[in-house]
PDB file of all heavy atoms in Angstrom:
ATOM      1  N   MET A   1     100.618  72.378 106.226  1.00 67.00           N
ATOM      2  CA  MET A   1     101.128  73.385 105.317  1.00 67.00           C
ATOM      3  C   MET A   1     102.219  72.837 104.407  1.00 67.00           C
ATOM      4  O   MET A   1     102.650  73.542 103.517  1.00 67.00           O
ATOM      5  CB  MET A   1     101.664  74.561 106.109  1.00 67.00           C
ATOM      6  CG  MET A   1     100.615  75.554 106.494  1.00 67.00           C
ATOM      7  SD  MET A   1     101.332  77.041 107.125  1.00 67.00           S
ATOM      8  CE  MET A   1     100.693  77.007 108.763  1.00 67.00           C
ATOM      9  N   ASN A   2     102.643  71.640 104.672  1.00 67.00           N
ATOM     10  CA  ASN A   2     103.692  71.045 103.843  1.00 67.00           C
ATOM     11  C   ASN A   2     103.360  71.057 102.362  1.00 67.00           C
ATOM     12  O   ASN A   2     104.244  71.122 101.527  1.00 67.00           O
ATOM     13  CB  ASN A   2     103.936  69.597 104.280  1.00 67.00           C
ATOM     14  CG  ASN A   2     105.113  69.480 105.217  1.00 67.00           C
ATOM     15  OD1 ASN A   2     106.029  70.286 105.181  1.00 67.00           O
ATOM     16  ND2 ASN A   2     105.069  68.472 106.067  1.00 67.00           N
ATOM     17  N   ASP A   3     102.074  71.005 102.063  1.00 83.00           N
ATOM     18  CA  ASP A   3     101.678  70.881 100.671  1.00 83.00           C
ATOM     19  C   ASP A   3     101.355  72.208  99.977  1.00 83.00           C
ATOM     20  O   ASP A   3     100.896  72.209  98.847  1.00 83.00           O
ATOM     21  CB  ASP A   3     100.490  69.925 100.554  1.00 83.00           C
ATOM     22  CG  ASP A   3      99.317  70.333 101.418  1.00 83.00           C
ATOM     23  OD1 ASP A   3      99.487  71.208 102.275  1.00 83.00           O
ATOM     24  OD2 ASP A   3      98.228  69.761 101.237  1.00 83.00           O
ATOM     25  N   ILE A   4     101.606  73.338 100.626  1.00 89.00           N
ATOM     26  CA  ILE A   4     101.284  74.617  99.975  1.00 89.00           C
ATOM     27  C   ILE A   4     102.471  75.251  99.247  1.00 89.00           C
ATOM     28  O   ILE A   4     102.299  76.204  98.515  1.00 89.00           O
ATOM     29  CB  ILE A   4     100.662  75.638 100.950  1.00 89.00           C
ATOM     30  CG1 ILE A   4     101.669  76.132 101.982  1.00 89.00           C
ATOM     31  CG2 ILE A   4      99.423  75.071 101.605  1.00 89.00           C
ATOM     32  CD1 ILE A   4     101.192  77.333 102.740  1.00 89.00           C
ATOM     33  N   SER A   5     103.665  74.729  99.491  1.00 93.00           N
ATOM     34  CA  SER A   5     104.839  75.278  98.807  1.00 93.00           C
ATOM     35  C   SER A   5     105.794  74.155  98.418  1.00 93.00           C
ATOM     36  O   SER A   5     105.806  73.101  99.047  1.00 93.00           O
ATOM     37  CB  SER A   5     105.564  76.292  99.691  1.00 93.00           C
ATOM     38  OG  SER A   5     106.192  75.652 100.772  1.00 93.00           O
ATOM     39  N   GLU A   6     106.571  74.422  97.392  1.00 93.00           N
ATOM     40  CA  GLU A   6     107.567  73.435  96.973  1.00 93.00           C
ATOM     41  C   GLU A   6     108.794  73.460  97.878  1.00 93.00           C
ATOM     42  O   GLU A   6     109.458  72.447  98.047  1.00 93.00           O
ATOM     43  CB  GLU A   6     107.981  73.697  95.528  1.00 93.00           C
ATOM     44  CG  GLU A   6     106.899  73.353  94.529  1.00 93.00           C
ATOM     45  CD  GLU A   6     107.324  73.600  93.094  1.00 93.00           C
ATOM     46  OE1 GLU A   6     108.549  73.622  92.814  1.00 93.00           O
ATOM     47  OE2 GLU A   6     106.426  73.771  92.261  1.00 93.00           O
ATOM     48  N   ASN A   7     109.100  74.644  98.428  1.00 93.00           N
ATOM     49  CA  ASN A   7     110.315  74.793  99.226  1.00 93.00           C
ATOM     50  C   ASN A   7     110.037  75.535 100.518  1.00 93.00           C
ATOM     51  O   ASN A   7     109.157  76.392 100.583  1.00 93.00           O
ATOM     52  CB  ASN A   7     111.382  75.574  98.459  1.00 93.00           C
ATOM     53  CG  ASN A   7     111.661  74.999  97.100  1.00 93.00           C
ATOM     54  OD1 ASN A   7     111.192  75.513  96.104  1.00 93.00           O
ATOM     55  ND2 ASN A   7     112.415  73.914  97.049  1.00 93.00           N
ATOM     56  N   SER A   8     110.816  75.208 101.541  1.00 92.00           N
ATOM     57  CA  SER A   8     110.811  75.987 102.779  1.00 92.00           C
ATOM     58  C   SER A   8     112.268  76.202 103.185  1.00 92.00           C
ATOM     59  O   SER A   8     113.095  75.304 103.036  1.00 92.00           O
ATOM     60  CB  SER A   8     110.023  75.273 103.876  1.00 92.00           C
ATOM     61  OG  SER A   8     110.590  74.021 104.178  1.00 92.00           O
ATOM     62  N   PHE A   9     112.547  77.412 103.630  1.00 91.00           N
ATOM     63  CA  PHE A   9     113.927  77.795 103.943  1.00 91.00           C
ATOM     64  C   PHE A   9     114.005  78.470 105.298  1.00 91.00           C
ATOM     65  O   PHE A   9     113.121  79.234 105.664  1.00 91.00           O
ATOM     66  CB  PHE A   9     114.462  78.819 102.925  1.00 91.00           C
ATOM     67  CG  PHE A   9     114.503  78.329 101.516  1.00 91.00           C
ATOM     68  CD1 PHE A   9     113.509  78.688 100.620  1.00 91.00           C
ATOM     69  CD2 PHE A   9     115.543  77.531 101.068  1.00 91.00           C
ATOM     70  CE1 PHE A   9     113.544  78.258  99.312  1.00 91.00           C
ATOM     71  CE2 PHE A   9     115.588  77.095  99.755  1.00 91.00           C
ATOM     72  CZ  PHE A   9     114.590  77.463  98.869  1.00 91.00           C
ATOM     73  N   ILE A  68     107.766  83.942 107.487  1.00 93.00           N
ATOM     74  CA  ILE A  68     107.116  83.786 108.785  1.00 93.00           C
ATOM     75  C   ILE A  68     108.165  83.886 109.879  1.00 93.00           C
ATOM     76  O   ILE A  68     109.158  83.152 109.859  1.00 93.00           O
ATOM     77  CB  ILE A  68     106.423  82.413 108.888  1.00 93.00           C
ATOM     78  CG1 ILE A  68     105.462  82.196 107.707  1.00 93.00           C
ATOM     79  CG2 ILE A  68     105.691  82.269 110.221  1.00 93.00           C
ATOM     80  CD1 ILE A  68     105.015  80.754 107.538  1.00 93.00           C
ATOM     81  N   LEU A  91     111.114  81.398 108.780  1.00 94.00           N
ATOM     82  CA  LEU A  91     110.846  80.273 107.911  1.00 94.00           C
ATOM     83  C   LEU A  91     110.174  80.886 106.690  1.00 94.00           C
ATOM     84  O   LEU A  91     109.204  81.635 106.829  1.00 94.00           O
ATOM     85  CB  LEU A  91     109.893  79.264 108.569  1.00 94.00           C
ATOM     86  CG  LEU A  91     109.322  78.187 107.638  1.00 94.00           C
ATOM     87  CD1 LEU A  91     110.434  77.267 107.136  1.00 94.00           C
ATOM     88  CD2 LEU A  91     108.231  77.398 108.337  1.00 94.00           C
ATOM     89  N   SER A  92     110.689  80.625 105.511  1.00 95.00           N
ATOM     90  CA  SER A  92     110.104  81.169 104.284  1.00 95.00           C
ATOM     91  C   SER A  92     109.565  80.040 103.427  1.00 95.00           C
ATOM     92  O   SER A  92     110.226  79.018 103.247  1.00 95.00           O
ATOM     93  CB  SER A  92     111.143  81.975 103.505  1.00 95.00           C
ATOM     94  OG  SER A  92     111.562  83.092 104.261  1.00 95.00           O
ATOM     95  N   LEU A  93     108.368  80.232 102.917  1.00 95.00           N
ATOM     96  CA  LEU A  93     107.725  79.272 102.030  1.00 95.00           C
ATOM     97  C   LEU A  93     107.763  79.855 100.628  1.00 95.00           C
ATOM     98  O   LEU A  93     107.234  80.944 100.392  1.00 95.00           O
ATOM     99  CB  LEU A  93     106.280  79.028 102.463  1.00 95.00           C
ATOM    100  CG  LEU A  93     106.083  78.599 103.922  1.00 95.00           C
ATOM    101  CD1 LEU A  93     104.601  78.494 104.254  1.00 95.00           C
ATOM    102  CD2 LEU A  93     106.795  77.291 104.207  1.00 95.00           C
ATOM    103  N   SER A  94     108.384  79.131  99.691  1.00 96.00           N
ATOM    104  CA  SER A  94     108.513  79.666  98.335  1.00 96.00           C
ATOM    105  C   SER A  94     108.004  78.674  97.303  1.00 96.00           C
ATOM    106  O   SER A  94     107.777  77.504  97.606  1.00 96.00           O
ATOM    107  CB  SER A  94     109.960  80.054  98.047  1.00 96.00           C
ATOM    108  OG  SER A  94     110.763  78.907  97.940  1.00 96.00           O
ATOM    109  N   ASN A  95     107.880  79.179  96.086  1.00 95.00           N
ATOM    110  CA  ASN A  95     107.288  78.400  94.996  1.00 95.00           C
ATOM    111  C   ASN A  95     105.944  77.842  95.460  1.00 95.00           C
ATOM    112  O   ASN A  95     105.721  76.629  95.494  1.00 95.00           O
ATOM    113  CB  ASN A  95     108.224  77.281  94.533  1.00 95.00           C
ATOM    114  CG  ASN A  95     109.534  77.847  94.018  1.00 95.00           C
ATOM    115  OD1 ASN A  95     109.543  78.800  93.248  1.00 95.00           O
ATOM    116  ND2 ASN A  95     110.640  77.276  94.456  1.00 95.00           N
ATOM    117  N   LEU A  96     105.074  78.770  95.820  1.00 95.00           N
ATOM    118  CA  LEU A  96     103.775  78.412  96.377  1.00 95.00           C
ATOM    119  C   LEU A  96     102.916  77.670  95.372  1.00 95.00           C
ATOM    120  O   LEU A  96     102.908  77.982  94.182  1.00 95.00           O
ATOM    121  CB  LEU A  96     103.045  79.675  96.851  1.00 95.00           C
ATOM    122  CG  LEU A  96     103.757  80.467  97.958  1.00 95.00           C
ATOM    123  CD1 LEU A  96     103.036  81.764  98.236  1.00 95.00           C
ATOM    124  CD2 LEU A  96     103.876  79.640  99.224  1.00 95.00           C
ATOM    125  N   LYS A  97     102.175  76.700  95.879  1.00 94.00           N
ATOM    126  CA  LYS A  97     101.259  75.915  95.050  1.00 94.00           C
ATOM    127  C   LYS A  97      99.830  76.450  95.141  1.00 94.00           C
ATOM    128  O   LYS A  97      98.922  75.872  94.566  1.00 94.00           O
ATOM    129  CB  LYS A  97     101.278  74.456  95.507  1.00 94.00           C
ATOM    130  CG  LYS A  97     102.632  73.796  95.375  1.00 94.00           C
ATOM    131  CD  LYS A  97     102.558  72.383  95.927  1.00 94.00           C
ATOM    132  CE  LYS A  97     103.903  71.717  95.941  1.00 94.00           C
ATOM    133  NZ  LYS A  97     103.840  70.363  96.528  1.00 94.00           N
ATOM    134  N   ILE A  98      99.655  77.523  95.904  1.00 93.00           N
ATOM    135  CA  ILE A  98      98.347  78.154  96.072  1.00 93.00           C
ATOM    136  C   ILE A  98      98.484  79.640  95.773  1.00 93.00           C
ATOM    137  O   ILE A  98      99.602  80.154  95.651  1.00 93.00           O
ATOM    138  CB  ILE A  98      97.800  77.946  97.509  1.00 93.00           C
ATOM    139  CG1 ILE A  98      98.758  78.554  98.546  1.00 93.00           C
ATOM    140  CG2 ILE A  98      97.547  76.481  97.786  1.00 93.00           C
ATOM    141  CD1 ILE A  98      98.232  78.525  99.974  1.00 93.00           C
ATOM    142  N   ILE A 107      97.582  81.517 106.612  1.00 91.00           N
ATOM    143  CA  ILE A 107      98.616  81.274 107.631  1.00 91.00           C
ATOM    144  C   ILE A 107      98.483  82.284 108.763  1.00 91.00           C
ATOM    145  O   ILE A 107      98.607  81.940 109.936  1.00 91.00           O
ATOM    146  CB  ILE A 107     100.028  81.307 107.003  1.00 91.00           C
ATOM    147  CG1 ILE A 107     100.174  80.165 106.006  1.00 91.00           C
ATOM    148  CG2 ILE A 107     101.104  81.219 108.085  1.00 91.00           C
ATOM    149  CD1 ILE A 107     101.413  80.254 105.132  1.00 91.00           C
ATOM    150  N   ILE A 110      95.802  81.146 111.128  1.00 87.00           N
ATOM    151  CA  ILE A 110      96.252  80.004 111.926  1.00 87.00           C
ATOM    152  C   ILE A 110      97.196  80.463 113.040  1.00 87.00           C
ATOM    153  O   ILE A 110      97.065  80.059 114.194  1.00 87.00           O
ATOM    154  CB  ILE A 110      96.937  78.947 111.032  1.00 87.00           C
ATOM    155  CG1 ILE A 110      95.886  78.252 110.166  1.00 87.00           C
ATOM    156  CG2 ILE A 110      97.718  77.931 111.871  1.00 87.00           C
ATOM    157  CD1 ILE A 110      96.462  77.366 109.087  1.00 87.00           C
ATOM    158  N   THR A 127     108.624  76.143 116.053  1.00 75.00           N
ATOM    159  CA  THR A 127     109.532  75.404 115.178  1.00 75.00           C
ATOM    160  C   THR A 127     108.983  75.323 113.755  1.00 75.00           C
ATOM    161  O   THR A 127     107.783  75.483 113.524  1.00 75.00           O
ATOM    162  CB  THR A 127     109.768  73.966 115.688  1.00 75.00           C
ATOM    163  OG1 THR A 127     108.557  73.224 115.571  1.00 75.00           O
ATOM    164  CG2 THR A 127     110.264  73.963 117.126  1.00 75.00           C
ATOM    165  N   LYS A 128     109.883  75.039 112.846  1.00 79.00           N
ATOM    166  CA  LYS A 128     109.509  74.834 111.445  1.00 79.00           C
ATOM    167  C   LYS A 128     108.469  73.721 111.365  1.00 79.00           C
ATOM    168  O   LYS A 128     107.459  73.841 110.677  1.00 79.00           O
ATOM    169  CB  LYS A 128     110.759  74.474 110.645  1.00 79.00           C
ATOM    170  CG  LYS A 128     110.516  74.128 109.198  1.00 79.00           C
ATOM    171  CD  LYS A 128     111.820  73.782 108.490  1.00 79.00           C
ATOM    172  CE  LYS A 128     111.583  73.354 107.069  1.00 79.00           C
ATOM    173  NZ  LYS A 128     112.829  73.086 106.345  1.00 79.00           N
ATOM    174  N   ASN A 129     108.696  72.645 112.100  1.00 79.00           N
ATOM    175  CA  ASN A 129     107.776  71.521 112.090  1.00 79.00           C
ATOM    176  C   ASN A 129     106.403  71.910 112.638  1.00 79.00           C
ATOM    177  O   ASN A 129     105.378  71.465 112.124  1.00 79.00           O
ATOM    178  CB  ASN A 129     108.357  70.343 112.883  1.00 79.00           C
ATOM    179  CG  ASN A 129     107.602  69.070 112.626  1.00 79.00           C
ATOM    180  OD1 ASN A 129     107.369  68.696 111.491  1.00 79.00           O
ATOM    181  ND2 ASN A 129     107.208  68.411 113.708  1.00 79.00           N
ATOM    182  N   ASP A 130     106.377  72.750 113.710  1.00 77.00           N
ATOM    183  CA  ASP A 130     105.105  73.224 114.261  1.00 77.00           C
ATOM    184  C   ASP A 130     104.270  73.906 113.174  1.00 77.00           C
ATOM    185  O   ASP A 130     103.063  73.703 113.087  1.00 77.00           O
ATOM    186  CB  ASP A 130     105.320  74.229 115.396  1.00 77.00           C
ATOM    187  CG  ASP A 130     105.826  73.599 116.674  1.00 77.00           C
ATOM    188  OD1 ASP A 130     105.645  72.383 116.860  1.00 77.00           O
ATOM    189  OD2 ASP A 130     106.406  74.345 117.489  1.00 77.00           O
ATOM    190  N   ILE A 131     104.914  74.704 112.363  1.00 80.00           N
ATOM    191  CA  ILE A 131     104.202  75.437 111.315  1.00 80.00           C
ATOM    192  C   ILE A 131     103.813  74.515 110.171  1.00 80.00           C
ATOM    193  O   ILE A 131     102.665  74.511 109.717  1.00 80.00           O
ATOM    194  CB  ILE A 131     105.054  76.609 110.791  1.00 80.00           C
ATOM    195  CG1 ILE A 131     105.164  77.680 111.881  1.00 80.00           C
ATOM    196  CG2 ILE A 131     104.450  77.207 109.522  1.00 80.00           C
ATOM    197  CD1 ILE A 131     106.077  78.816 111.555  1.00 80.00           C
ATOM    198  N   LEU A 132     104.758  73.725 109.705  1.00 80.00           N
ATOM    199  CA  LEU A 132     104.507  72.903 108.520  1.00 80.00           C
ATOM    200  C   LEU A 132     103.487  71.793 108.749  1.00 80.00           C
ATOM    201  O   LEU A 132     102.925  71.268 107.789  1.00 80.00           O
ATOM    202  CB  LEU A 132     105.815  72.325 107.986  1.00 80.00           C
ATOM    203  CG  LEU A 132     106.801  73.360 107.435  1.00 80.00           C
ATOM    204  CD1 LEU A 132     108.087  72.686 106.987  1.00 80.00           C
ATOM    205  CD2 LEU A 132     106.182  74.166 106.300  1.00 80.00           C
ATOM    206  N   THR A 133     103.220  71.440 110.004  1.00 79.00           N
ATOM    207  CA  THR A 133     102.225  70.392 110.261  1.00 79.00           C
ATOM    208  C   THR A 133     100.817  70.947 110.462  1.00 79.00           C
ATOM    209  O   THR A 133      99.875  70.169 110.624  1.00 79.00           O
ATOM    210  CB  THR A 133     102.621  69.540 111.487  1.00 79.00           C
ATOM    211  OG1 THR A 133     102.785  70.395 112.619  1.00 79.00           O
ATOM    212  CG2 THR A 133     103.893  68.760 111.213  1.00 79.00           C
ATOM    213  N   LYS A 134     100.653  72.250 110.440  1.00 81.00           N
ATOM    214  CA  LYS A 134      99.315  72.853 110.534  1.00 81.00           C
ATOM    215  C   LYS A 134      98.555  72.586 109.238  1.00 81.00           C
ATOM    216  O   LYS A 134      99.132  72.541 108.160  1.00 81.00           O
ATOM    217  CB  LYS A 134      99.393  74.365 110.770  1.00 81.00           C
ATOM    218  CG  LYS A 134     100.128  74.757 112.020  1.00 81.00           C
ATOM    219  CD  LYS A 134      99.373  74.334 113.247  1.00 81.00           C
ATOM    220  CE  LYS A 134     100.147  74.709 114.488  1.00 81.00           C
ATOM    221  NZ  LYS A 134      99.861  73.860 115.606  1.00 81.00           N
ATOM    222  N   ASN A 135      97.245  72.447 109.361  1.00 79.00           N
ATOM    223  CA  ASN A 135      96.405  72.191 108.196  1.00 79.00           C
ATOM    224  C   ASN A 135      95.704  73.467 107.740  1.00 79.00           C
ATOM    225  O   ASN A 135      95.203  74.227 108.570  1.00 79.00           O
ATOM    226  CB  ASN A 135      95.348  71.129 108.511  1.00 79.00           C
ATOM    227  CG  ASN A 135      95.967  69.766 108.695  1.00 79.00           C
ATOM    228  OD1 ASN A 135      96.850  69.378 107.944  1.00 79.00           O
ATOM    229  ND2 ASN A 135      95.502  69.038 109.695  1.00 79.00           N
ATOM    230  N   ILE A 136      95.671  73.656 106.447  1.00 82.00           N
ATOM    231  CA  ILE A 136      94.941  74.765 105.834  1.00 82.00           C
ATOM    232  C   ILE A 136      93.889  74.159 104.919  1.00 82.00           C
ATOM    233  O   ILE A 136      94.194  73.259 104.128  1.00 82.00           O
ATOM    234  CB  ILE A 136      95.882  75.668 104.998  1.00 82.00           C
ATOM    235  CG1 ILE A 136      96.874  76.386 105.890  1.00 82.00           C
ATOM    236  CG2 ILE A 136      95.084  76.677 104.186  1.00 82.00           C
ATOM    237  CD1 ILE A 136      97.854  77.257 105.129  1.00 82.00           C
ATOM    238  N   ILE A 137      92.672  74.648 105.047  1.00 82.00           N
ATOM    239  CA  ILE A 137      91.617  74.221 104.123  1.00 82.00           C
ATOM    240  C   ILE A 137      91.783  75.051 102.859  1.00 82.00           C
ATOM    241  O   ILE A 137      91.687  76.277 102.890  1.00 82.00           O
ATOM    242  CB  ILE A 137      90.229  74.408 104.743  1.00 82.00           C
ATOM    243  CG1 ILE A 137      90.112  73.539 105.991  1.00 82.00           C
ATOM    244  CG2 ILE A 137      89.141  74.077 103.723  1.00 82.00           C
ATOM    245  CD1 ILE A 137      88.877  73.790 106.818  1.00 82.00           C
ATOM    246  N   ILE A 138      92.059  74.370 101.764  1.00 84.00           N
ATOM    247  CA  ILE A 138      92.364  75.053 100.504  1.00 84.00           C
ATOM    248  C   ILE A 138      91.283  74.746  99.479  1.00 84.00           C
ATOM    249  O   ILE A 138      91.085  73.583  99.124  1.00 84.00           O
ATOM    250  CB  ILE A 138      93.733  74.597  99.958  1.00 84.00           C
ATOM    251  CG1 ILE A 138      94.837  74.848 100.991  1.00 84.00           C
ATOM    252  CG2 ILE A 138      94.046  75.305  98.642  1.00 84.00           C
ATOM    253  CD1 ILE A 138      96.163  74.205 100.649  1.00 84.00           C
TER     254      ILE A 138
END
Side-chain angles (χ1 to χ4, degrees):
M1 276 191 243
N2 263 333
D3 55 348
I4 69 167
S5 70
E6 289 181 23
N7 307 102
S8 61
F9 299 100
I68 306 165
L91 168 66
S92 297
L93 306 176
S94 70
N95 299 314
L96 299 174
K97 298 177 185 178
I98 60 174
I107 296 169
I110 289 170
T127 68
K128 176 180 177 177
N129 194 50
D130 287 338
I131 291 174
L132 294 178
T133 57
K134 301 293 179 207
N135 291 318
I136 293 178
I137 298 171
I138 303 169

